[in-house]
Amino acid sequence: MASDKPENRFSQVSSWTGKKILLGITGSIAAYKAAFLLRLLVKAGADVQVLMTAAASDFIGPITLSTLSKRPVLSDIQSESNWNKHVEWGLWADALVVAPATANTLAKMSQGLCDNLLSAVYLSARCPVFVAPAMDVDMWHHPSTRRNITRLQEDGVQFIPVGHGELASGLYGEGRMAEPEEIFAFLTAFFARGKSAELRSPLAGKRVLLTAGPTYEPLDPVRFLGNRSSGKMGVALADVLARRGARVQLILGPSAEKPKEEAVQVWRVQTAQEMLDKALELFPRSDAAVLAAAVADYRPAHPATQKIKKTGDSLLLELEKTPDIAATLGRQKQAGQYLIGFALETEKEEVHARAKLQRKNFDFIVLNSLRDAGAGFQVDTNKITILYPGNKAQTYELKAKEEVAEDIVDALEALVDKENIR
Ligand code: C5P
């Protein structure tokens, strides 16, 4: 991977050529700057379709924007046919950029409201979404705006940082929309990363869900049942997937590890149930899920609300089964979605792993055995065998977990390439 230096090879090719951009403009005084951004995008070679909210047209005229974009501007007061096209626009675009994004539009987006064309397109968009917020300092810091921003970030929306300085209100502080050149640079960096990954990986732009780390199942407010998983393998996988251009959503149990790649979105969870809830929320929109978490199989059936006292000589714990995340997702898996699992075994490794492959409806399973020196928990190396349906198997040498992650992602790429993920 490292030897073919993809960045150099593609530096001559503009990452903008032929890119289809939806530029959403909302009702802010900063709307006039959207014209400058539009010009930068068009000059770079992008095909830009402008979507305006009704309020935006109080700040900037559609004629300016349609002249610059060489396309009719779509706004709220549209014919029936345009309204019905929101799904098409959502699918057409390589990116949706909302600049300026008002507090109102951010609130709508975070709640899933779709009472205008822009918000309907947002809900239909499968492409990456960027917002460049613009608002007064108090609106920016309001708890309600903060909540909406956190929620949108969790949904994968990328925020172009606001500036600090004098605002249209005369107040001073945060909330100023980033300058058009800054927005353009932010987007260029995104597409440049995607471009180099895109040309070598069929996973570029795909949504990949990952579970990693242990789970902690509470016994009482201070104690839990856990396991020795460090989360290293899963976090290494997250980084490799992100470097190949995938949009990685990582659900991470209690682990000291964290991904190096900023693009990885991380949700921290504690229990198997929390991991399942998040996975169920994210899986329907994922192209693949890699389940590397060491999920507890059993949890205390009646966790105590107060600390358990040292009263008797022995203590009997009643345990109940946790939900099987893999099996649940395996049942929900649709054509075009891929599910990858792990099996850590101590005996009859292949027989047990093959049974899981089938029971959980995996496309392949990564087997590691605790009998192999250097494999398993809390170490930096691993030795794996990948088992496929129909008796196919591939065995790998003992390697650093980062290299093992490369092998696993190669195997996923090969699947996706062959069957052409949706
Ligand atoms: O059955 P076992 O726990 O050994 O299966 C391991 C595989 O199933 C791993 O991919 C693990 O992440 C997943 N799993 C799960 N939910 C569980 C138990 C395991 O997703 N409750």
Side-chain angles (χ1 to χ4, degrees), residues 33-318:
K33 291 192 194 172
F36 293 95
L37 173 62
L38 172 56
R39 206 176 51 173
L40 288 170
L41 293 168
V42 171
K43 265 186 152 179
D47 187 2
V48 187
Q49 174 61 55
V50 174
L51 305 171
M52 285 174 93
T53 63
S57 50
D58 291 337
F59 295 90
I60 184 162
I63 297 175
T64 309
L65 300 166
S66 60
T67 309
L68 290 172
S69 64
K70 302 185 189 76
R71 278 174 170 276
V73 167
L74 305 178
S75 70
D76 292 338
I77 319 116
Q78 284 298 322
S79 62
E80 195 65 15
S81 58
N82 264 339
W83 171 261
N84 289 335
K85 278 193 177 151
H86 63 268
V87 175
E88 265 171 55
W89 286 119
L91 297 177
W92 172 83
D94 294 307
L96 166 62
V97 184
V98 186
T102 56
N104 180 52
T105 290
L106 293 179
K108 280 187 194 176
M109 288 166 70
S110 82
Q111 301 301 316
L113 296 178
C114 50
D115 59 354
N116 64 29
L117 186 62
L118 174 59
S119 46
V121 169
Y122 166 66
L123 281 189
S124 310
R126 290 199 189 158
C127 58
V129 179
F130 301 85
V131 292
M135 66 197 75
D136 194 65
V137 59
D138 295 305
M139 296 168 86
W140 177 249
H141 288 295
H142 195 281
S144 159
T145 306
R146 298 286 99 209
R147 266 197 307 277
N148 293 335
I149 291 174
T150 306
R151 197 149 183 183
L152 285 169
Q153 283 172 329
E154 285 177 3
D155 291 343
V157 172
Q158 304 194 49
F159 278 73
I160 302 171
V162 293
H164 186 275
E166 196 179 342
L167 301 164
S169 60
L171 294 173
Y172 199 84
E174 275 182 325
R176 230 163 74 161
M177 186 176 88
E179 293 305 320
E181 292 76 13
E182 290 168 334
I183 301 174
F184 181 70
F186 192 100
L187 299 170
T188 303
F190 174 82
F191 281 122
R193 274 203 305 278
K195 187 86 192 164
S196 53
E198 205 172 291
L199 291 176
R200 64 194 151 107
S201 176
L203 290 170
K206 303 296 174 200
R207 283 178 196 261
V208 181
L209 172 65
L210 249 174
T211 66
T215 62
Y216 285 178
E217 308 297 333
L219 205 52
D220 69 16
V222 289
R223 305 179 180 99
F224 58 83
L225 294 184
N227 61 62
R228 295 185 196 280
S229 165
S230 62
K232 277 185 180 154
M233 193 63 245
V235 168
L237 277 163
D239 280 332
V240 172
L241 284 162
R243 283 199 287 275
R244 300 208 192 171
R247 295 153 74 188
V248 187
Q249 300 189 300
L250 169 65
I251 311 174
L252 184 57
S255 158
E257 301 293 316
K258 61 170 191 243
K260 295 189 194 78
E261 298 297 328
E262 271 193 23
V264 175
Q265 273 184 281
V266 186
W267 284 271
R268 295 266 175 183
V269 295
Q270 295 277 319
T271 63
Q273 187 63 47
E274 287 168 8
M275 194 173 267
L276 173 69
D277 292 344
K278 200 73 210 172
L280 283 175
E281 185 189 318
L282 299 177
F283 187 58
R285 277 175 47 98
S286 302
D287 297 295
V290 180
L291 306 177
V295 186
D297 290 331
Y298 292 91
R299 65 186 170 204
H302 310 288
T305 50
Q306 303 299 331
K307 188 178 170 195
I308 299 170
K309 288 291 177 205
K310 192 168 41 176
T311 45
D313 286 338
S314 64
L315 175 68
L316 265 183
L317 281 180
E318 188 190 339

